[in-house]
Amino acid sequence: MLGDIEEFVTGHPAGYSTELERILATVLFTDIVDSTRNAAAMGDQNWRRMLDSHDQLARQMVEKHRGILVKSTGDGILATFDGPGRAVRCALALGSASQQIGLPLRAGLHTGEIELRGRDIGGIAVHAAARVMAQSQSSEVLVSRVVTDLVRCGPEILRARIA
C-alpha cells in the first residue's frame, strides 16, 4: 500500500529514481581527418565503402580492448572503457589501422563520470573528451591530464603520434 501512495504522490512507481545513472569511464572520441574533402573527392559510393571499413575496424579494436562502442558519429566513433590504459592503447591501434587503409584519425580521451542515457551517454566528461579531440592534430591521440595521472605516465603521453 505504501508503494501505491508513493506512486500517487510522486507520479512514479515505488523505487523509481529521477536521478541519472552515472559511472566512471574513459571516453574516446575519434574523427577521420578531412572526411568531407575526401568524401567529395571519392564520391558517395567509394566513401561509403571506406566508412564501412573504418566502422568494422573500430568495432574490432574497441572489442579487442574491452571497450563499449557507443555509436558512430558519421566520420568517427564514441566509445567508453573501464580503464584508461586500454582506451589509450585502443586509440593508438585504431589510428594505426585506419591510417593503413588511408583514413588518418585524430583522437581524444578523458576520464570522468558519464551519464548513461539508454544506449547513449552524456555529461561533462563526454564534452571534455570531445574538446580534447578537437585539439588533436592528424594522426595524433591527445589525452587529458586526468588520463595521464591515472595511467601513471609522464607528460610525453599527452600527445602521442599514431605509428
Side-chain angles (χ1 to χ4, degrees), residues 27-97:
V27 179
L28 165 65
F29 266 104
T30 69
D31 179 56
I32 298 171
V33 177
D34 293 328
S35 60
T36 303
R37 186 176 54 79
N38 289 333
M42 289 180 175
D44 288 339
Q45 196 171 38
N46 289 332
W47 180 245
R48 181 77 246 159
R49 279 196 294 273
M50 291 294 282
L51 279 180
D52 289 345
S53 295
H54 166 270
D55 291 350
Q56 182 180 357
L57 280 173
R59 278 190 300 277
Q60 290 171 346
M61 291 297 162
V62 170
E63 184 178 302
K64 177 182 177 182
H65 292 89
R66 296 186 0 217
I68 297 170
L69 182 62
V70 176
K71 63 182 169 183
S72 170
T73 60
D75 62 349
I77 65 161
L78 170 59
T80 61
F81 298 82
D82 64 1
R86 282 193 295 281
V88 170
R89 287 188 294 278
C90 179
L92 290 167
L94 178 56
S96 182

